[in-house]
Amino acid sequence: MQIKDRLIVALDVTEREKALELVEMLHDCCGMFKIGLEPFCIFGPTFVEEIQDRGGKVFLDLKFHDIPRTVAQAGRAAARLGVEMFNVHIAGGSEMMKAVVEAVREETAGKKQAKILGVTVLTSLGADELTRDLGIDRSPLEQVIFWAQEAKECGLSGVVASPREISAIREHCGRDFLIVTPGIRPAGFESGDQKRISTPGDAVRSGVDYIVVGRPILQAQDPRQAALDIVREMEEAIR
């Protein structure tokens, strides 16, 4: 895998033509495009196919969280779209995760299988929010490790976690367990609504597999150059 393939661009755009222009501009200098709830709800499943038609691969970031059968069926639908990866909330429990893993295995028998990632603690949450809003007494790091180990036991391909937990996940879950990291901000870019963040270089040095970058690329005067600069920073970090 080339370094550029480890960059996932978060395509958080509400205008279809603008989004597709970005795909045309960026598909050869990143590995995937992340389609989250907002663009998926606005443009629908055909948007995934339009990105694929333009040479882009898709990480479907809908964070499925429901009863096991419902999430299993949603996973089947995501697999039929041909996405590279999609995610579920680990908080949905082990039976939910096992059900979606089995459903996708059946759906893609003999074909390339979509990778299923487990969402751990959102990067917008800190220790105070975990305790006050969710009633979780573990620190964010402890909760992430707990959930990552559960996800691995249930057969998920990896997790979505903040940059601060990369090393610990590696230690507890091994090198082959995928880690996808949002909350990536180049030096000097404001953190926005993210609390547990890192630079591209630091994330790669910590052992991440993929980084997700949105606003620093989408809001740049030259999005392609911004993406290339991030790839260059990642390359320098592993030399």
Side-chain angles (χ1 to χ4, degrees):
M1 181 168 62
Q2 298 181 51
I3 292 296
K4 72 177 183 66
D5 295 327
R6 298 170 66 174
L7 172 61
I8 300 174
V9 175
L11 206 60
D12 297 327
V13 179
T14 57
E15 298 176 11
R16 192 186 210 101
E17 289 308 312
K18 174 63 175 177
L20 295 176
E21 285 176 11
L22 286 165
V23 173
E24 296 274 8
M25 182 189 305
L26 300 172
H27 77 274
D28 62 341
C29 57
C30 69
M32 270 178 264
F33 294 94
K34 183 180 78 70
I35 305 304
L37 286 166
E38 186 176 22
F40 190 82
C41 289
I42 294 172
F43 307 132
T46 58
F47 186 53
V48 172
E49 297 169 351
E50 289 181 281
I51 292 172
Q52 293 165 336
D53 288 344
R54 287 162 172 77
K57 297 178 180 179
V58 174
F59 165 27
L60 191 61
D61 177 30
L62 302 184
K63 301 180 179 71
F64 299 138
H65 186 175
D66 212 309
I67 62 173
R69 184 184 183 281
T70 297
V71 171
Q73 294 303 99
R76 286 183 185 273
R80 284 196 293 270
L81 282 173
V83 300
E84 290 292 309
M85 57 177 69
F86 68 91
N87 55 15
V88 303
H89 267 292
I90 299 173
S94 60
E95 292 306 311
M96 183 202 76
M97 288 188 282
K98 291 174 182 176
V100 71
V101 167
E102 182 58 29
V104 170
R105 185 179 294 122
E106 291 175 358
E107 186 66 35
T108 57
K111 298 179 288 186
K112 183 178 179 181
Q113 185 170 323
K115 295 178 176 63
I116 307 172
L117 304 174
V119 176
T120 57
V121 178
L122 299 177
T123 52
S124 59
L125 297 177
D128 291 343
E129 288 83 3
L130 274 186
T131 302
R132 183 188 67 232
D133 300 338
L134 302 180
I136 295 174
D137 291 330
R138 296 186 183 96
S139 69
L141 176 60
E142 291 169 335
Q143 188 64 32
V144 167
I145 293 171
F146 175 77
W147 271 340
Q149 291 176 312
E150 186 177 15
K152 184 176 182 179
E153 290 172 3
C154 292
L156 269 62
S157 302
V159 290
V160 180
S162 94
R164 297 187 185 180
E165 291 95 40
I166 296 169
S167 298
I169 295 170
R170 277 279 168 260
E171 179 181 348
H172 288 84
C173 297
R175 185 65 194 86
D176 295 332
F177 194 63
L178 293 179
I179 303 175
V180 177
T181 299
I184 299 297
R185 296 287 186 268
F189 197 92
E190 63 180 17
S191 61
D193 56 0
Q194 307 278 16
K195 294 185 178 177
R196 294 167 12 255
I197 64 173
S198 176
T199 66
D202 286 343
V204 170
R205 278 187 288 269
S206 296
V208 76
D209 292 292
Y210 298 93
I211 65 170
V212 180
V213 184
R215 281 168 277 187
I217 293 175
L218 303 185
Q219 295 178 2
Q221 288 188 337
D222 185 342
R224 182 178 176 84
Q225 187 59 54
L228 291 172
D229 289 344
I230 289 171
V231 171
R232 186 179 305 110
E233 181 179 341
M234 295 165 67
E235 289 174 336
E236 292 173 353
I238 62 172
R239 284 177 185 167

